[in-house]
Amino acid sequence: MTFRDQGIMAMAVAAFLLAMVLFYAVERRMEGISAEIAALRAVSAKVSQLEDRALSVERSATELASLPRKTRTLAAETQVGAMAAAAEDLQATVGAKHRDKLEAVRLLLEEIRNDLQTAP
């Protein structure tokens, strides 16, 4: 084997080793890209879930906004009635100083409740 043949053989071996190194580097890079793609898919799925939840909340808000005024008034009337009943219950457990104030609160709440009942 001549010196020229040895040089060609050395270059072939070097080219082969370089190709192997490049192949390994590309393979490692592809593994990293695959992991990033998997992470992006997971993020995309979570974003889709959040979008679905946002649409659900938006639908619920729309439904609540579209409830008839009478239904909202009835709910408010019920809450005011419960507050008046709670004020009446408290009157039995507090001192005389607070009883008068609670009676005034109860009377105001009853007045509001009556107004709500007669509201159109």
Side-chain angles (χ1 to χ4, degrees):
M1 206 186 295
T2 65
F3 181 69
R4 186 172 175 217
D5 291 340
Q6 288 177 351
I8 291 173
M9 183 62 95
M11 286 191 339
V13 169
F16 177 75
L17 289 176
L18 180 62
M20 292 302 291
V21 168
L22 289 175
F23 177 77
Y24 178 75
V26 168
E27 183 182 4
R28 294 288 295 179
R29 183 69 180 151
M30 290 302 290
E31 287 175 4
I33 290 172
S34 295
E36 289 177 12
I37 289 172
L40 285 174
R41 284 185 179 145
V43 168
S44 177
K46 288 183 181 182
V47 167
S48 293
Q49 289 174 349
L50 288 175
E51 286 175 348
D52 291 344
R53 287 182 186 172
L55 288 174
S56 174
V57 168
E58 187 176 323
R59 270 188 249 115
S60 296
T62 303
E63 289 172 8
L64 287 176
S66 67
L67 283 176
R69 185 176 181 276
K70 189 69 175 175
T71 304
R72 289 189 300 243
T73 302
L74 182 61
E77 179 188 331
T78 303
Q79 287 178 327
V80 170
M83 291 167 63
E88 189 174 3
D89 290 343
L90 282 173
Q91 282 179 310
T93 60
V94 296
K97 177 182 174 184
H98 296 292
R99 275 191 207 117
D100 295 337
K101 291 178 183 176
L102 282 170
E103 179 62 21
V105 167
R106 188 189 66 74
L107 289 173
L108 287 171
L109 288 168
E110 286 294 332
E111 183 179 329
I112 292 170
R113 183 174 172 215
N114 290 334
D115 289 345
L116 289 171
Q117 285 177 342
T118 59

